[in-house]
């Protein structure tokens, strides 16, 4: 077993807590409302048995962040506050926990402090250069800081380190390719994600932008039309809310392009 698994087992100090944690990881990787809900329950169970199981606390913090971000819970901003509490409490146990610094980077992005988020992402990578999630988090920060080439390098490293490569690793790549106006590459990446997760709304948005960028306007309009058949309430404003840096300079142009191919404002 690798160093990551040994760390988890050592932190868990309890085989049942460790089992709950693994169940939570599997549920989280579904990247859905129901998957996150089950991941939350599993990580809470792990912490109930082993309160110092910091990796479970970090995983629970991630669930709280994303449920609040995507509107998958009734907690609202309380979800972000609970995530911060979990992470800050754990730093007293292990101030050099790479994934904790990774999750802190995500919170700082949501709070709009991207310079601090970049420092936390770089620290996470320095603490654990073999953590795919840390490289992915840094890639996300770099995209938001309008550093798409650097973001691509980090995203590719994440994929190298994680052969299973979760779909959201590729989403960051698609976003970086769009920023670089490398539309064929963006289209290839989004098609790869959609083949595995056809209902993933944000990926379909990036695919539509790639098609529009390639001059395939009718195909782009068709992509948006099909999306709205299952997500009738989805709008450009809602898309902007879901990206981590809703006020970055390129967003108004992206919204204008989305509206031009049929996404309601």
């Amino acid at each position: 077993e690798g160093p990551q698994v040994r760390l988890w087992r050592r932190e868990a100090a309890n085989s049942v807590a460790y089992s709950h944690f693994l169940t939570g990881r599997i549920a989280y990787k579904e990247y859905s409302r129901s998957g996150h809900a089950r991941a939350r329950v599993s990580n809470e169970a792990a912490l109930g048995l082993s309160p110092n199981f910091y990796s479970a606390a970090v995983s629970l913090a991630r669930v709280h962040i994303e449920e609040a971000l995507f509107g998958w819970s009734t907690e609202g901003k309380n979800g972000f506050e609970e995530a911060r509490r979990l992470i800050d409490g754990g730093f007293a146990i292990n101030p050099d926990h790479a994934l904790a610094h990774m999750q802190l980077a995500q919170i700082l992005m949501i709070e709009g402090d991207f310079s601090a988020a970049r420092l936390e992402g770089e620290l996470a990578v320095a603490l654990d250069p073999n953590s795919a999630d840390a490289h992915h988090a840094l890639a996300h920060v770099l995209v938001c800081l309008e550093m798409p080439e650097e973001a691509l390098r980090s995203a590719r490293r994440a994929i190298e380190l994680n052969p299973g490569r979760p779909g959201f690793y590729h989403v960051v790549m698609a976003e970086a390719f769009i920023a670089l106006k490398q539309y064929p590459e963006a289209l290839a990446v989004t098609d790869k994600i959609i083949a595995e997760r056809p209902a993933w709304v944000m990926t379909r948005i990036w695919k539509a932008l790639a098609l529009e960028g390639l001059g395939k306007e009718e195909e782009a309009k068709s992509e948006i039309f099909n999306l709205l058949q299952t997500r009738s309430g989805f709008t450009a404003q809602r898309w902007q809310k879901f990206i981590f840096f809703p006020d970055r300079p390129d967003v108004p142009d992206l919204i204008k392009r989305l509206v031009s191919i049929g996404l309601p404002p």
Side-chain angles (χ1 to χ4, degrees):
E1 60 187 37
Q4 186 70 77
V5 172
R6 288 195 293 273
L7 171 67
W8 292 337
R9 288 188 184 278
R10 186 168 66 251
E11 288 182 1
N14 179 300
S15 61
V16 179
Y18 179 63
S19 178
H20 282 305
F21 172 72
L22 292 183
T23 299
R25 281 181 62 80
I26 292 168
Y28 173 82
K29 288 179 181 178
E30 292 179 15
Y31 220 64
S32 66
R33 183 192 293 262
S34 62
H36 274 53
R38 285 182 279 114
R40 175 163 31 86
V41 171
S42 294
N43 281 300
E44 287 171 347
L47 286 169
L49 292 167
S50 296
N52 290 336
F53 190 175
Y54 193 19
S55 290
V58 172
S59 294
L60 180 57
R62 177 187 282 190
V63 169
H64 278 296
I65 290 167
E66 292 176 358
E67 285 186 327
L69 188 67
F70 300 143
W72 286 349
S73 77
T74 57
E75 288 182 306
K77 289 187 177 180
N78 290 336
F80 300 134
E81 293 168 4
E82 178 61 14
R84 173 74 90 150
R85 186 192 68 78
L86 287 162
I87 291 168
D88 287 348
F91 278 135
I93 302 169
N94 180 1
D96 294 328
H97 197 288
L99 293 187
H101 286 284
M102 179 203 78
Q103 286 308 136
L104 182 54
Q106 192 175 30
I107 291 173
L108 289 165
M109 278 197 292
I110 292 165
E111 293 174 350
D113 193 344
F114 292 92
S115 295
R118 181 182 179 183
L119 291 175
E120 289 295 329
E122 289 173 343
L123 179 55
V125 168
L127 288 167
D128 188 355
N130 293 317
S131 169
D133 283 348
H135 285 280
H136 167 256
L138 180 57
H140 210 155
V141 177
L142 292 169
V143 164
C144 292
L145 285 171
E146 298 184 279
M147 301 172 68
E149 292 180 352
E150 295 85 345
L152 279 174
R153 282 197 291 271
S154 291
R156 285 173 171 141
R157 182 60 180 148
I159 290 170
E160 287 172 5
L161 289 166
N162 185 350
R165 48 181 179 271
F168 50 83
Y169 284 14
H170 283 113
V171 174
V172 173
M173 293 186 74
E175 195 169 348
F177 281 133
I178 293 289
L180 290 166
K181 302 189 186 306
Q182 294 179 8
Y183 299 120
E185 292 85 351
L187 185 59
V189 169
T190 53
D191 278 342
K192 185 179 294 185
I193 303 168
I194 290 168
E196 297 176 3
R197 295 178 179 273
W200 210 332
V201 173
M202 295 298 279
T203 307
R204 291 199 170 274
I205 291 291
W206 293 118
K207 178 178 179 178
L209 284 167
L211 288 166
E212 189 269 352
L214 286 167
K216 299 181 178 182
E217 191 167 317
E218 292 307 312
E219 290 182 48
K221 288 180 178 179
S222 178
E223 192 66 34
I224 294 296
F225 177 82
N226 291 335
L227 183 155
L228 293 173
Q229 297 309 297
T230 55
R231 297 289 190 276
S232 58
F234 200 79
T235 64
Q237 184 181 43
R238 191 165 175 80
W239 169 80
Q240 184 178 12
K241 179 183 174 183
F242 283 169
I243 60 177
F244 275 91
F245 190 179
D247 299 320
R248 73 181 190 230
D250 63 334
V251 167
D253 179 63
L254 293 174
I255 288 177
K256 183 178 178 181
R257 289 166 59 187
L258 287 169
V259 171
S260 76
I261 54 176
L263 190 66

